[in-house]
Amino acid sequence: MDKVMRLASQKGVVIFTKSSCCLCYAVNILFKEIGVVPSVYEIDKDPEGKEMEKAIRRLGCTALVPAVFIGGNLVGSTNEVMSLHLSGSLVPLLQQCQSLC
């Protein structure tokens, strides 16, 4: 869990993904379209990926990937990010973390 939390707190927006995940791609594109360049970690290409998966689950992410962190805090996966975006809450959250370009 230490590695996940360390990586999650290194930048305003961090997304843990798998290279073949289409929802991960969609969330990444969403952030880029609203002016955020997230740090993306493909856990299926990391030697410690299995341990990172376990850590993300222990943190409470219902869907393993994408696991989105904003300001070092777990926001959730695709459903949570899209809900925030559609309700108009995502951009203000990003502004609080000074993550918008």
Side-chain angles (χ1 to χ4, degrees):
M1 188 165 331
D2 290 339
K3 182 174 183 175
V4 169
M5 293 310 297
R6 180 176 44 81
L7 293 173
S9 63
Q10 286 181 348
K11 192 168 180 190
V13 178
V14 176
I15 307 172
F16 292 94
T17 70
K18 288 191 174 182
S19 55
S20 61
C21 174
C22 61
L23 292 176
C24 297
Y25 177 78
V27 167
N28 190 16
I29 293 299
L30 169 67
F31 280 111
K32 288 180 179 177
E33 285 184 358
I34 58 178
V36 174
V37 180
S39 288
V40 177
Y41 296 98
E42 292 183 345
I43 60 176
D44 58 332
K45 294 187 177 181
D46 190 297
E48 297 175 56
K50 293 292 181 190
E51 290 304 313
M52 294 170 74
E53 285 182 23
K54 291 177 188 174
I56 291 168
R57 284 215 192 277
R58 283 194 301 269
L59 289 169
C61 198
T62 54
L64 180 61
V65 291
V68 178
F69 290 77
I70 298 176
N73 298 310
L74 176 65
V75 171
S77 194
T78 308
N79 287 344
E80 292 81 10
V81 171
M82 292 302 181
S83 292
L84 286 169
H85 180 59
L86 293 173
S87 71
S89 302
L90 183 58
V91 169
L93 180 61
L94 293 166
Q95 288 171 332
Q96 289 175 8
C97 297
Q98 299 176 352
S99 296
L100 288 175
C101 298

